[in-house]
Amino acid sequence: PGLHDTYEDERGSFDQMYDDLGTSTARDLREVAKVIYGVENGVPNVEARYFEIRNGGYDNHSDQGAGSSGGRHYNLHEEVGQALETFYADCADMGVADKLVIFVWSEFSRRALQNDTGTDHGTQGPMFVIGGSVNGGVYGNPPDIADASLDNGNTVYSQDPANPHRATDFRDVYGTI
């Protein structure tokens, strides 16, 4: 049998968990899980070292919903969180969590201050690194979000090591991984 059938036959409960979420992120991560399962179980002609999936819908400047349940960004973050939780549980069950590094980031960041019901593009963006061998914690310095320190609602980017709010750049994290 092929990779798809092998995964569905042998990992049916996880296959159903992805289906139950019913989101594009869950479907995409299930496809990654299938390949990982194939690699780990010697399915012929299956090889991979890294994967990339995308989740859109964040480039909006109004009606983001802040942290309220049912808001646009809340729903997007919930979709990603639930799909990642299922994917990680699937990989842990396969015994590959210690070989796994998941890096979540956005291709653009947001400003600290809202412009009515949304935020414009800015310099601040979180990055999440997940995996069985990842040393957990919060790394980097907090941004200076004091009103007096903002530049038109945006945090000031600094790589100055003497600045207590020195920014951790995406390239620093990506290069480390």
Side-chain angles (χ1 to χ4, degrees):
L3 180 58
H4 175 79
D5 293 333
T6 299
Y7 180 86
E8 283 194 344
D9 290 346
E10 298 176 15
R11 311 236 5 113
S13 64
F14 280 100
D15 188 52
Q16 186 61 51
M17 290 169 70
Y18 291 108
D19 277 345
D20 290 345
L21 292 175
T23 64
S24 62
T25 305
R27 286 188 295 275
D28 290 347
L29 286 173
R30 175 179 41 208
E31 294 307 307
V32 173
K34 286 178 186 179
V35 175
I36 291 171
Y37 188 70
V39 168
E40 289 299 307
N41 290 283
V43 173
N45 302 316
V46 177
E47 295 181 25
R49 292 194 52 168
Y50 65 91
F51 306 89
E52 177 182 337
I53 70 163
R54 296 171 184 239
N55 172 269
Y58 294 89
D59 192 7
N60 52 68
H61 300 266
S62 64
D63 299 323
Q64 291 175 336
S68 60
S69 178
R72 180 183 274 168
H73 274 199
Y74 181 94
N75 291 341
L76 288 165
H77 292 147
E78 182 177 49
E79 174 181 335
V80 171
Q82 289 175 344
L84 282 172
E85 180 180 31
T86 300
F87 175 73
Y88 190 81
D90 191 3
C91 290
D93 189 69
M94 288 183 219
V96 298
D98 287 345
K99 298 178 184 180
L100 182 69
V101 175
I102 302 167
F103 184 27
V104 180
W105 77 92
S106 173
E107 81 280 7
F108 62 83
S109 300
R110 292 289 178 180
R111 293 178 185 234
L113 295 180
Q114 290 197 109
N115 59 353
D116 198 17
T117 61
T119 53
D120 288 323
H121 296 243
T123 61
Q124 294 301 311
M127 294 172 275
F128 299 98
V129 181
I130 304 161
S133 295
V134 172
N135 291 325
V138 177
Y139 294 90
N141 298 322
D144 187 355
I145 59 173
D147 286 341
S149 300
L150 297 177
D151 177 19
N152 195 27
N154 203 9
T155 55
V156 177
Y157 179 80
S158 171
Q159 286 283 261
D160 179 2
N163 184 337
H165 299 287
R166 178 190 182 279
T168 301
D169 191 276
F170 170 85
R171 295 165 292 189
D172 296 333
V173 177
Y174 187 79
T176 299
I177 290 173

